[in-house]
Amino acid sequence: MTEPSSSSYSLSSKKRPRSPNDNDEHPLGRDQICSSLEDNLTFNDTMIALQLMRTQFPKLEKLVVQPFILQSQLYSSVKDRTQVDRDLESFKKEKVLRIFKLSSGQDDHAIMFMDDYLKQVAFAIKRSGGKEQDGSEVFEWFERYVVPSKLDVSINQLELCSLLSRGGDVTDKHITLLMNAGLLTRQLIDPYIYWFAIPRIGPILKGLSQGRKEILSLLNRKKYKEMLLSSLEKTKLRLSPLDTRFLLRDLIGSGHIKTVQTPTGLLARITRD
């Protein structure tokens, strides 16, 4: 039987949900991509919400990270969380996207389209020394056997070695190379469990943590702990390179901020316990 190649992510004969790279023309109109958060806060369709937020991913200088969406941001955009979870599970099984556990918070998860993830993997391999270094065959094994076979956020060492061994004899050095490239991180509680990771995401997670604190601090200093969403969205943050819209979607979806409709527009208000 022919083994799957690293590019063999074709789905069954049924129609696959649109990946953002299916063609050059984006399925969302230009006005919809560029309009304000208030105008595009909620959607009825999970894939449309994912595609929109992918286009709005912050562009950061000197940092090459493919776009990803926080699961909390998706929860802020599609009100039916049960449907979101069901859609994500379906998209994951169809290899349209991957989900990653983040170190920035206990409930933080990132969603990345598979095409973007494969680009990020290729870039990480190149930055780590490429496929010319000793033991670098493990990168091909990882792309060919692990990525398409293991779709969960983590993998235990036994299963990881079993999948990699389809390419050859696995050593500790191979695992170390994958970790040094940022493709895997070891769980602190159980050293025999590895998280799948998004390489070079560290500065973004730092900006996420600092940005969350700065926005909540800003609202807490207001008399009624609230601001018009349109005004808050335009606020320039001092401590985070991430744009405010990216952070507001996260804070709304995680329940730290709620929105209230008023005659003058949507209010963003601190959620009281």
Side-chain angles (χ1 to χ4, degrees):
M1 181 179 293
T2 304
E3 295 287 2
S5 69
S6 61
S7 61
S8 59
Y9 291 97
S10 61
L11 306 180
S12 61
S13 58
K14 67 178 181 178
K15 187 174 181 180
R16 175 172 70 91
R18 286 184 67 131
S19 168
N21 296 323
D22 282 347
N23 53 49
D24 293 334
E25 182 181 355
H26 199 278
L28 299 169
R30 183 175 301 274
D31 291 341
Q32 192 173 1
I33 292 172
C34 301
S35 56
S36 69
L37 177 59
E38 183 171 350
D39 291 337
N40 280 296
L41 184 59
T42 59
F43 300 87
N44 295 320
D45 184 276
T46 303
M47 180 55 70
I48 292 296
L50 285 168
Q51 290 172 330
L52 174 72
M53 286 185 281
R54 179 186 180 277
T55 66
Q56 295 178 343
F57 186 77
K59 292 178 174 60
L60 305 174
E61 293 183 6
K62 301 179 181 179
L63 189 61
V64 181
V65 176
Q66 294 296 317
F68 64 85
I69 301 96
L70 297 173
Q71 193 161 333
S72 56
Q73 294 172 327
L74 194 55
Y75 285 152
S76 77
S77 301
V78 184
K79 293 305 182 183
D80 188 344
R81 294 196 176 198
T82 301
Q83 184 62 45
V84 168
D85 292 339
R86 190 159 46 237
D87 288 340
L88 287 179
E89 187 63 25
S90 176
F91 297 154
K92 185 176 71 172
K93 288 180 179 178
E94 293 171 334
K95 300 186 177 74
V96 174
L97 51 76
R98 288 193 73 99
I99 300 175
F100 302 86
K101 175 73 178 70
L102 302 180
S103 60
S104 52
Q106 183 177 355
D107 298 321
D108 285 351
H109 290 81
I111 303 160
M112 183 176 277
F113 284 100
M114 185 67 80
D115 291 340
D116 292 329
Y117 174 63
L118 294 177
K119 292 178 184 176
Q120 193 70 26
V121 168
F123 181 76
I125 292 171
K126 183 177 180 180
R127 285 296 298 262
S128 69
K131 297 185 177 181
E132 303 302 321
Q133 58 185 315
D134 185 32
S136 62
E137 62 272 7
V138 73
F139 295 127
E140 182 180 350
W141 303 346
F142 182 80
E143 292 176 290
R144 184 178 178 89
Y145 303 114
V146 178
V147 172
S149 302
K150 189 65 176 178
L151 303 176
D152 296 333
V153 297
S154 64
I155 186 170
N156 65 57
Q157 184 166 309
L158 183 62
E159 186 175 10
L160 175 63
C161 291
S162 175
L163 290 172
L164 291 173
S165 67
R166 295 180 184 178
D169 295 331
V170 182
T171 66
D172 289 342
K173 182 175 183 178
H174 288 129
I175 306 300
T176 300
L177 283 174
L178 292 174
M179 294 179 64
N180 289 345
L183 301 172
L184 295 173
T185 58
R186 198 189 302 270
Q187 270 196 21
L188 297 177
I189 298 177
D190 187 342
Y192 297 102
I193 300 290
Y194 299 88
W195 298 114
F196 289 98
I198 300 174
R200 303 178 62 79
I201 199 178
I204 294 181
L205 296 185
K206 181 179 179 181
L208 176 62
S209 178
Q210 291 176 327
R212 285 167 169 170
K213 292 176 182 177
E214 187 171 353
I215 290 176
L216 292 175
S217 175
L218 174 63
L219 286 174
N220 272 314
R221 292 197 301 270
K222 300 295 181 181
K223 182 177 180 180
Y224 298 108
K225 303 185 186 302
E226 64 188 24
M227 283 180 65
L228 281 172
L229 185 64
S230 57
S231 298
L232 186 54
E233 183 182 358
K234 297 173 184 176
T235 302
K236 181 69 174 177
L237 300 178
R238 297 181 300 106
L239 303 178
S240 174
L242 302 177
D243 66 64
T244 310
R245 177 168 52 185
F246 183 88
L247 293 158
L248 283 172
R249 284 194 185 277
D250 163 62
L251 289 168
I252 293 170
S254 62
H256 289 88
I257 291 176
K258 66 179 179 179
T259 57
V260 181
Q261 186 66 58
T262 71
T264 54
L266 276 180
L267 278 179
R269 179 181 295 164
I270 290 285
T271 302
R272 293 177 172 81
D273 295 332

